[in-house]
Structure formats: C-alpha cells, structure tokens
Amino acid sequence: MIKDYSIYDLSGKEKIIFYSVGYMCIFIIVYLFYHSLLLAVSTGVLVYYIMPYIKKHMAEKRLDALNMQFKDMLYSISASIAAGRQMEEAIVEAESNLALIYKETDPMMVELKHMRINIIENNESDKPLLQDLAYRSKSEDINDFVQVFNTCRDMGGDIEKMITQTVDVLTEKMAIEREIKVLTAQKKVEGRIISVMPMLMLLALNICSYSYIEPLYETTAGRLIMTAALAATVYGMYLMEKISQIKV
C-alpha cells in the first residue's frame, strides 16, 4: 500500500538508471559548452538536484494511472451493486474483475487488495477505507466521489445512480484531457527539438569549423557568452515544459 501518492520513492534500479543517464547528459552538455573535462566531471553531480523534479513527475504519472484505474473500478462496482451486492462485496469483486486487465503491481490493484484484506479479515467498513484512499491519493476525482458516496449513504440516496453519473463525469473529463494531450503533443515535440537545436549546432561547429568558435572557449568574454547561452537553453526547456502542462 502506498502511504502518500504525492511522494514517489525510486527503486534501486531506477536510481541507478537515473543517476547514470543524468550524469552522462550533464557531462556531455557541460563539456560541449566549456571544453573543460574537470568542470564537466564536477558539474555532473548536479544530477542529484534534479531528482526532486523526477520524483514529482513520477508521482504525477502514478496518480494519473490511479485515476484512470479508479474509473474502471467504479464500472465494476456499479455493475455489482446493480446485481444486488453491498458496497463491501462490490469492492472485493472489483479486484478479481480488474485483475483481468491490470497487473498486481498497478496502483488500483494494490489498493483493492488492501481493501479486500481489511474487509474480509478485519471486518472493516468500506467508508473509512475509501476515505483513507482519498486522503492518501490527494486526487480530486477520488475525493469528490467519496464525499458524494458518503452523503448518499447517510441520506439514503441512490448509490447505483450516483456511481453511474460519477463514471460519466470522469469519462468526459478524461476524454477532454486526452484531446488536450493530442493537441499539445506536436507542440511539445517541436519545442524539445528547438531546445536541442543550439546544442546540435554547437556540436556541428565543433566538428566542422572549430577555428570559427575557438574564441568562445579561449577567452573570458567567450566563456561568459557560452554560460549565458547554456542558461538560456536550460531556461527555455524548463519554460516549454511548464507551458505545455495543462490541467483540466
């Protein structure tokens, strides 16, 4: 069970891959801009400070997967309740139903297993389990569903109808998100190509016409220009990624 979906802990293998690839990328870029082996080796350790951004990205990716799988769980629960099952029974059945399309390690499968164990072995009610999931996931969709579900239960509302309407809203929201991603995907690719172009041009000049750019590596003014160019390139990449992040 994941205690907090806003925090992502990389596995040992993921850390090795990230640090190795990240160090090599920083090493190559710094050496390309400064032609200093010592500087490239020493600045490679900056990869450590990029780790929080990678963890944040991985946490967001995992939460997106949880939200999508949560919608499928609601489909299963809705069908079970329509067949006369109680909410606890519907949650237990949802695990076996979703096992046909998801792996055991997927976020929703881990949560359903945790709920099943607590319902069957500890006789725990579904209400605190769903509230706990909403609290740990910090997902707006899951939190809204839990609040509406609790209200329906307390007031004697039609739970089956409520779940069906929730699924419809989530489906529409996800469709809008997919459409936005399709519309922005091409611009993202174009932005990344533009961001990499200065480095490719600098590499081409190093190979084909080094004498033309030699003053940039040999003079103080040249190194200042290269520093400004590197800073502008990095900031442009960051800005491009920031602009392309559209939340629904």
Side-chain angles (χ1 to χ4, degrees):
M1 184 185 69
I2 299 170
K3 294 182 178 180
D4 191 340
Y5 277 85
S6 64
I7 300 174
Y8 187 92
D9 295 321
L10 273 71
S11 64
K13 182 179 180 181
E14 288 174 330
K15 287 180 179 179
I16 292 174
I17 294 174
F18 168 73
Y19 281 124
S20 300
V21 175
Y23 185 91
M24 286 302 300
C25 289
I26 293 176
F27 176 89
I28 292 171
I29 291 172
V30 172
Y31 186 79
L32 182 63
F33 274 83
Y34 294 100
H35 279 196
S36 172
L37 187 61
L38 179 62
L39 184 63
V41 171
S42 59
T43 53
V45 298
L46 292 175
V47 68
Y48 175 80
Y49 297 99
I50 304 175
M51 178 65 79
Y53 299 98
I54 298 298
K55 287 184 176 180
K56 181 180 178 182
H57 172 72
M58 297 298 290
E60 290 175 350
K61 187 176 179 181
R62 181 178 59 190
L63 183 57
D64 288 342
L66 178 68
N67 284 327
M68 184 171 294
Q69 294 163 20
F70 178 73
K71 182 197 70 172
D72 293 330
M73 183 197 78
L74 292 183
Y75 273 123
S76 175
I77 290 177
S78 178
S80 297
I81 291 179
R85 305 286 195 277
Q86 296 297 318
M87 189 62 174
E88 290 88 347
E89 297 173 324
I91 291 175
V92 173
E93 285 186 356
E95 182 186 9
S96 57
N97 292 336
L98 266 63
L100 300 174
I101 54 177
Y102 295 119
K103 298 181 293 185
E104 291 183 1
T105 54
D106 286 329
M108 198 68 249
M109 294 302 298
V110 174
E111 294 296 337
L112 286 171
K113 181 180 179 181
H114 168 70
M115 291 182 189
R116 172 177 56 80
I117 292 173
N118 280 275
I119 290 172
I120 295 177
E121 298 182 6
N122 301 332
N123 293 321
E124 192 168 347
S125 172
D126 55 82
K127 186 175 179 179
L129 291 172
L130 291 172
Q131 288 177 331
D132 177 61
L133 173 59
Y135 174 76
R136 288 185 292 103
S137 68
K138 296 179 177 61
S139 167
E140 182 181 351
D141 295 336
I142 297 177
N143 185 63
D144 290 346
F145 166 77
V146 171
Q147 288 184 2
V148 174
F149 170 72
N150 291 337
T151 302
C152 281
R153 234 176 125 163
D154 295 339
M155 302 296 292
D158 189 340
I159 294 179
E160 180 188 350
K161 183 178 180 181
M162 180 274 295
I163 293 177
T164 302
Q165 291 178 344
T166 302
V167 171
D168 291 340
V169 171
L170 291 178
T171 302
E172 184 178 352
K173 180 180 178 181
M174 290 177 182
I176 295 173
E177 288 177 340
R178 282 196 298 269
E179 186 175 350
I180 291 174
K181 287 180 180 178
V182 170
L183 293 174
T184 59
Q186 183 179 354
K187 298 302 178 182
K188 279 186 178 181
V189 173
E190 292 175 358
R192 287 167 183 166
I193 292 174
I194 292 173
S195 299
V196 174
M197 281 302 296
M199 300 178 194
L200 295 178
M201 292 178 63
L202 185 59
L203 177 62
L205 288 171
N206 270 272
I207 295 173
C208 302
S209 183
Y210 177 72
S211 59
Y212 180 75
I213 60 171
E214 186 175 5
L216 294 175
Y217 296 105
E218 303 296 335
T219 64
T220 302
R223 291 190 178 276
L224 290 174
I225 293 172
M226 294 298 268
T227 301
L230 178 58
T233 301
V234 173
Y235 179 71
M237 295 174 69
Y238 166 78
L239 199 60
M240 183 272 298
E241 293 292 335
K242 198 74 174 177
I243 293 174
S244 61
Q245 291 178 357
I246 301 175
K247 296 292 183 180
V248 179

